[in-house]
């Protein structure tokens, strides 16, 4: 009895430790999440259509096996097709906006020209870095390297970080490490300048990211009619290549019937 | 052509509405979550609106059934939007999120900054998963089917009385 109780205690402790570890890992994981945007939306929509809808159809639908399988398989095909159209819009849209921003073409200096022509007033935001991530990064790197020349400890602690940043971009982890290193700079002026430059770079990067997301979203909306047409054209062709349509469905006409409409809704939504 | 696009984008990026919107997205996670929810829903709504428009212009559908099919599309579109937004708001509710995060991230209670970051990330992800996966793919078909049935019955009753 005693042994049993001891075993129970051990297994309870073991389980509670596992739960604690899982909770800790989940917390760490969610704390690291960065850049949630249109990409997340597209990915979730794809997962819903490619995995959830077939799973629901296969487990809930009361239709015959052949029709059920056909409905379940065609959803991942439609989801892949949709992903292949939406992902490039996001990728190329973001790249295009990023390129313009890094050339300084989206910052208020350029915007100021139009305003000056109109009312002769100087834009109060002129010369501000709003979206030029490259410039903000270079400014920070320049100030950090200059501070490193005056401060040996800062130079030692940021040598690896600066190299990492030069090769990539700022992320939550890198920002935290830089912030810790900046805290230890002895010279107050250097400390203030580098800290301000780091925050400026971080904000500029975020601004650009959200701008890229909004522009890509607008592009997706504008291109929706074209995407729908392309999907309507490609979907039956690809589906017929991959799977055989059940007899019941091949006999149906192309006309939209009320029952067909209801069935479509039951199969996981219409457009989507 | 490219300079026109550049110019338009520049004006867009520097308009006070966009600047304010972007600043809010950076500073308020709640606002960012709602923005992503709205962008996700509006793509669906726009696609349904397009479907309604195409149905009304589709000569293959008999004239008497055209408005009916369009109504069905519109109702499904509205249901999609309302259910997704409602689910998103419900999951993203401060009290619900607070209760879940308190239990889920109890191991981070000694690290308030990390706890806050984890809670923010969880709020956005769970709201989007709830709206895009659960509401759109499970709730909407469940709710839209009886509504479609109700409209069909009404339509049949009208046709019979004529």
């Amino acid at each position: 009895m005693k042994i049993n109780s001891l075993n129970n205690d051990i297994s309870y402790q073991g389980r509670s430790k596992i739960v604690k570890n899982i909770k800790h890992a989940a917390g760490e994981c969610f704390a690291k999440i960065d850049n949630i945007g249109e990409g997340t939306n597209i990915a979730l929509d794809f997962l819903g259509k490619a995995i959830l809808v077939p799973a629901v159809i296969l487990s809930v639908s009361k239709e015959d096996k052949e029709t059920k399988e056909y409905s379940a398989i065609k959803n991942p095909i439609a989801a892949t097709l949709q992903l292949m159209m939406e992902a490039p819009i996001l990728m190329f849209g973001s790249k295009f906006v990023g390129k313009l921003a890094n050339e300084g073409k989206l910052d208020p200096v350029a915007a100021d020209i139009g305003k000056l022509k109109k009312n002769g007033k100087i834009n109060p935001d002129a010369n501000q870095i709003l979206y030029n991530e490259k410039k903000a990064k270079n400014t920070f790197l320049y100030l950090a390297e200059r501070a490193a020349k005056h401060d040996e400890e800062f130079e030692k602690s940021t040598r690896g970080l600066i190299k990492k940043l030069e090769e990539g971009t700022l992320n939550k982890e890198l920002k935290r490490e830089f912030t810790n290193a900046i805290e230890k700079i002895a010279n107050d002026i250097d400390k203030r300048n580098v800290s301000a430059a780091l925050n400026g770079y971080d904000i500029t990067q975020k601004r650009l990211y959200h701008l890229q997301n909004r522009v890509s979203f607008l592009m997706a909306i504008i291109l929706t009619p074209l995407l729908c047409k392309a999907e309507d054209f490609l979907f039956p062709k690809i589906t017929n290549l991959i799977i055989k349509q059940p007899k019941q469905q091949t006999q149906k006409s192309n006309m939209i019937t009320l029952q067909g409409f209801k069935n479509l809704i039951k199969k996981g939504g219409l457009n989507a | 052509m490219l300079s026109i696009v550049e110019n338009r984008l520049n004006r867009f990026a520097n308009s006070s509405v966009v600047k304010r919107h972007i600043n809010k997205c950076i500073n308020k996670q709640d606002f960012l979550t709602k923005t992503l929810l709205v962008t996700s829903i509006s793509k669906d709504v726009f696609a349904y609106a397009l479907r309604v428009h195409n149905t009304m212009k589709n000569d293959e559908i008999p004239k008497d059934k055209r408005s009916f099919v369009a109504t069905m599309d519109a109702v499904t579109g509205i249901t999609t939007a309302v259910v997704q937004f409602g689910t998103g708001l419900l999951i993203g509710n401060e009290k619900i999120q607070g209760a879940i995060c308190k239990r889920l991230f109890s191991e981070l209670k000694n690290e308030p900054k990390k706890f806050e970051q984890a809670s923010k990330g969880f709020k956005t992800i769970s709201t989007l998963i709830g709206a895009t996966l659960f509401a759109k793919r499970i709730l909407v078909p469940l709710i839209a089917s009886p509504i479609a049935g109700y409209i069909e019955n009404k339509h049949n009753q009208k046709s019979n009385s004529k």
Side-chain angles (χ1 to χ4, degrees):
Chain A
M1 192 66 188
K2 262 187 179 176
I3 293 168
N4 276 344
S5 147
L6 188 66
N7 278 345
N8 279 342
D9 277 354
I10 290 169
S11 65
Y12 174 75
Q13 277 177 4
R15 256 181 283 153
S16 103
K17 205 177 177 185
I18 291 170
V19 171
K20 268 186 179 182
N21 285 343
I22 291 172
K23 278 184 174 179
H24 196 268
E28 290 281 343
C29 181
F30 277 105
K32 277 181 190 166
I33 285 179
D34 215 357
N35 291 347
I36 305 171
E38 286 303 315
T40 319
N41 267 343
I42 293 172
L44 286 176
D45 206 24
F46 171 76
L47 287 178
K49 203 169 183 178
I51 297 170
L52 196 62
V53 175
V56 171
I57 290 171
L58 288 173
S59 57
V60 175
S61 176
K62 285 170 188 164
E63 286 177 78
D64 62 283
K65 200 186 164 199
E66 203 185 1
T67 314
K68 235 161 80 166
E69 279 173 0
Y70 176 77
S71 309
I73 293 171
K74 72 177 192 175
N75 273 291
I77 299 171
T80 312
L81 206 61
Q82 199 179 323
L83 183 76
M84 281 164 67
M85 290 178 189
E86 284 188 4
I89 294 176
L90 179 66
M91 269 168 58
F92 292 121
S94 297
K95 217 171 179 183
F96 179 65
V97 174
K99 190 176 172 277
L100 288 184
N102 287 331
E103 285 170 2
K105 286 175 179 164
L106 299 184
D107 277 342
V109 182
D112 199 32
I113 299 166
K115 276 192 178 179
L116 268 173
K117 272 184 190 170
K118 265 188 181 175
N119 51 25
K121 282 180 190 168
I122 292 167
N123 186 349
D125 292 332
N127 296 321
Q128 242 188 26
I129 303 173
L130 281 188
Y131 303 104
N132 193 339
E133 189 191 350
K134 201 175 164 186
K135 196 172 177 182
K137 180 183 173 177
N138 289 340
T139 308
F140 169 68
L141 282 173
Y142 169 75
L143 289 171
E145 278 164 1
R146 203 177 68 172
K149 279 179 191 167
H150 308 150
D151 195 316
E152 206 177 316
E153 204 184 320
F154 180 67
E155 197 268 333
K156 268 184 196 169
S157 59
T158 55
R159 201 182 295 151
L161 297 178
I162 285 177
K163 206 177 173 193
K164 248 190 211 175
L165 187 61
E166 277 172 341
E167 286 164 3
T169 52
L170 193 68
N171 54 40
K172 260 188 187 174
E173 194 61 25
L174 210 52
K175 195 196 168 193
R176 193 180 55 79
E177 286 180 52
F178 266 120
T179 309
N180 290 341
I182 291 166
E183 282 295 310
K184 289 167 195 158
I185 296 178
N187 185 313
D188 274 349
I189 298 170
D190 275 349
K191 194 174 176 176
R192 211 170 42 226
N193 286 345
V194 180
S195 177
L198 178 66
N199 284 332
Y201 174 29
D202 184 39
I203 295 281
T204 307
Q205 191 188 45
K206 283 177 180 163
R207 266 195 220 113
L208 177 60
Y209 177 74
H210 289 297
L211 181 72
Q212 285 170 321
N213 270 271
R214 293 302 93 79
V215 172
S216 300
F217 161 71
L218 288 175
M219 275 168 68
I221 288 282
I222 293 166
L223 291 173
T224 299
L226 252 173
L227 295 183
C228 284
K229 274 195 176 168
E231 209 177 320
D232 287 346
F233 175 75
L234 289 172
F235 179 64
K237 287 190 167 41
I238 296 171
T239 312
N240 289 339
L241 272 178
I242 297 172
I243 43 172
K244 209 179 157 189
Q245 213 169 0
K247 280 173 196 167
Q248 262 187 322
Q249 293 201 9
T250 44
Q251 282 162 2
K252 282 179 185 173
S253 73
N254 289 329
M255 285 270 289
I256 299 171
T257 62
L258 304 184
Q259 194 52 46
F261 183 90
K262 282 171 76 180
N263 286 340
L264 267 170
I265 296 172
K266 282 177 188 165
K267 283 172 192 168
L270 279 167
N271 83 329
Chain B
M1 178 68 187
L2 196 66
S3 66
I4 296 171
V5 177
E6 279 172 18
N7 208 359
R8 289 267 159 89
L9 260 177
N10 191 305
R11 271 195 215 167
F12 175 77
N14 287 288
S15 64
S16 55
V17 178
V18 172
K19 278 199 280 191
R20 216 179 309 139
H21 168 82
I22 287 175
N23 284 338
K24 257 188 163 181
C25 282
I26 294 169
N27 298 323
K28 291 182 181 172
Q29 189 77 12
D30 190 45
F31 183 77
L32 173 65
T33 308
K34 281 178 188 156
T35 302
L36 290 174
L37 191 63
V38 168
T39 58
S40 167
I41 295 167
S42 44
K43 275 186 206 168
D44 292 340
V45 170
F46 192 70
Y48 274 107
L50 197 71
R51 197 177 272 271
V52 171
H53 178 259
N54 289 345
T55 303
M56 291 307 280
K57 285 194 166 181
N58 190 346
D59 293 331
E60 284 180 40
I61 306 171
K63 263 192 177 177
D64 58 326
K65 280 186 181 174
R66 227 178 270 174
S67 67
F68 169 69
V69 176
T71 311
M72 292 279 236
D73 279 328
V75 168
T76 316
I78 293 165
T79 311
T80 306
V82 171
V83 173
Q84 279 193 77
F85 197 66
T87 311
L89 286 186
L90 185 73
I91 296 173
N93 180 278
E94 286 290 327
K95 281 183 186 168
I96 293 174
Q97 282 291 324
I100 298 171
C101 289
K102 216 174 171 182
R103 293 197 73 174
L104 192 63
F105 307 128
S106 55
E107 293 306 306
L108 298 177
K109 61 187 170 198
N110 296 327
E111 299 168 83
K113 207 175 173 188
K114 215 170 233 181
F115 178 84
E116 199 194 327
Q117 282 178 340
S119 305
K120 279 181 179 176
F122 178 76
K123 185 180 182 175
T124 310
I125 293 287
S126 59
T127 304
L128 292 178
I129 286 177
T132 319
L133 295 184
F134 177 68
K136 186 175 171 182
R137 302 298 177 187
I138 297 174
L139 276 183
V140 170
L142 282 176
I143 295 169
S145 296
I147 296 175
Y150 174 78
I151 296 172
E152 188 188 0
N153 281 341
K154 280 259 173 188
H155 177 77
N156 288 342
Q157 277 173 9
K158 254 189 190 176
S159 306
N160 290 338
S161 65
K162 274 179 188 174

